[in-house]
Amino acid sequence: MSVLTPASEVILRHQDHFRSHNLLFAGDLQDNLATEIEAANVKVHTNQYHHWQSLIRQLGDNAQFGLKANSAFIAGCNTLIFYWPKSKQEARFQLRSLFSILPAGTDIFVVGENRSGVRSVDKLMEGIVTFHKIDTARRCSLFYGQLKNQVQFDQNNWWNSYQVGDVTVNTLPGVFSQDDLDIGSRLLLSTFDAPLSGNLLDLACGSGVLAAVLGKKNPELTLTLSDVNAAAITSSKATLKANKLEGKVIASNAYSAIEEKFDWIISNPPFHDGLKTNLAAADDMIRMAPNYLKPGGKLRIVANAFLPYPDLLDHTFGKHEVIAQTGKFKVYQATKN
């Protein structure tokens, strides 16, 4: 058995219940329990590309990546095991999407860390599923309910939009800076005052705001945006379209799906995976950046000042510079020789 999260350990306490069920795992999966649990059949839908990459090795076509599951994929599933994400709005989006295609009578299990807000599931799903807490351990809670009826779900009702100057930013639940431009990204954008040209990669692009702002100011830029989150991919495409910008938007775990080299790599890199601090993605972005930069190409990122990126930048590039900072954030730049 691989290393499991506390939430999965709570699920395993009910292993006997699942042996004869056709399971659908969804939500914020952080481990490979779905590949190890004993059940009649197991399928997984995830909106996290890196989790999907890990799962398909054993599950093959029974693992699906995307913003929403489709009815053909979940056909035959009679039990949903849903891992609560860190955003209540994201949980509502994902659950209502699933409840629009799962048949009435489906058993629903929702598990999550107590600090994530999982205990609000009964209120959030009122009138759709009546949930009861059936277990609590490892600072997690497990809820059970049964889907009464399928619900209507229209993705168009879930969009949020805001302006950054003359740029329209479109976001879906679960995307970083869903409601407004965050302070770190604002600082990073403020460092670009000279005209830019060549091709630019926006890693961990989120809503696509960084690439959109720079692309609108610099029409000669060729834009590529990537993220692991399906909601971010969809949001970035919508942001580019709203601003009449051309660009490639791709699902990629750091550089896993990147094939070309760039004049610029920019990012406001994540340092959480779910609720937990995880620097692995940002470390990979920095460590592998020279392989995806042209000679003279630049990596420019913004990060919380306390994160240990200076040493990694120096080890990778030989040196770096701090080109802007506040009490909380620093903008780092490193150039490929």
Side-chain angles (χ1 to χ4, degrees), residues 221-225 236-237 240-241 244-250:
L221 271 182
T222 300
L223 303 176
T224 300
L225 298 76
S236 288
K237 290 178 179 178
L240 291 183
K241 183 177 180 180
K244 299 179 180 179
L245 293 168
E246 297 292 329
K248 291 191 296 185
V249 185
I250 56 177

Side-chain angles (χ1 to χ4, degrees), residues 66-278:
L67 179 63
K68 301 180 295 183
N70 59 64
S71 55
F73 177 76
I74 62 96
C77 295
N78 56 21
T79 301
L80 169 65
I81 298 177
F82 183 82
Y83 286 71
W84 193 265
K86 63 181 179 180
S87 160
K88 290 182 182 179
Q89 188 73 348
E90 182 180 9
R92 288 183 67 240
F93 177 91
Q94 293 184 17
L95 283 171
R96 290 188 69 99
S97 172
L98 290 165
F99 292 167
S100 71
I101 56 175
L102 286 168
T106 300
D107 288 329
I108 311 293
F109 292 85
V110 176
V111 66
E113 294 186 37
N114 294 329
R115 63 182 175 136
S116 71
V118 67
R119 288 176 288 194
S120 64
V121 63
D122 192 40
K123 184 176 181 180
L124 288 177
M125 294 295 111
E126 187 175 1
I128 303 171
V129 179
T130 300
F131 282 101
H132 303 283
K133 185 187 291 187
I134 61 171
D135 200 358
T136 180
R138 301 296 308 277
R139 299 179 181 175
C140 296
S141 294
L142 175 64
F143 293 83
Y144 168 76
Q146 195 171 76
L147 182 61
K148 297 176 181 178
N149 297 291
Q150 285 186 340
V151 301
Q152 296 297 313
F153 180 83
D154 184 351
Q155 182 180 311
N156 292 324
N157 295 332
W158 294 82
W159 285 103
N160 184 57
S161 296
Y162 59 89
Q163 294 293 127
V164 178
D166 61 349
V167 171
T168 299
V169 183
N170 291 320
T171 63
L172 286 169
V175 175
F176 182 63
S177 290
Q178 181 189 348
D179 299 317
D180 197 6
L181 184 64
D182 64 283
I183 298 172
S185 294
R186 194 177 297 277
L187 180 64
L188 177 58
L189 286 172
S190 73
T191 65
F192 290 96
D193 47 10
L196 301 179
S197 60
N199 56 348
L200 177 144
L201 171 62
D202 181 357
L203 271 180
C205 59
S207 63
V209 59
L210 297 178
V213 169
L214 294 176
K216 202 154 188 178
K217 289 181 178 178
N218 302 277
E220 300 301 314
L221 271 182
T222 300
L223 303 176
T224 300
L225 298 76
S226 74
D227 205 289
V228 297
N229 186 296
I233 297 297
T234 305
S235 298
S236 288
K237 290 178 179 178
T239 295
L240 291 183
K241 183 177 180 180
N243 295 285
K244 299 179 180 179
L245 293 168
E246 297 292 329
K248 291 191 296 185
V249 185
I250 56 177
S252 182
N253 181 12
Y255 303 97
S256 67
I258 305 298
E259 297 179 348
E260 57 189 296
K261 298 194 176 191
F262 297 88
D263 299 286
W264 289 94
I265 297 175
I266 64 170
S267 186
N268 183 350
F271 63 97
H272 289 96
D273 195 353
L275 291 170
K276 295 179 175 58
T277 299
N278 188 339

Side-chain angles (χ1 to χ4, degrees), residues 282-302:
D283 285 356
D284 286 345
M285 288 180 188
I286 295 171
R287 181 172 48 82
M288 299 171 65
N291 298 328
Y292 297 90
L293 285 169
K294 298 175 183 177
K298 299 181 186 300
L299 171 72
R300 190 179 295 188
I301 64 172
V302 64

Side-chain angles (χ1 to χ4, degrees), residues 2-17:
S2 63
V3 176
L4 299 179
T5 63
S8 286
E9 290 178 351
V10 174
I11 292 292
L12 272 185
R13 287 155 62 100
H14 302 263
Q15 167 77 61
D16 290 343
H17 176 85

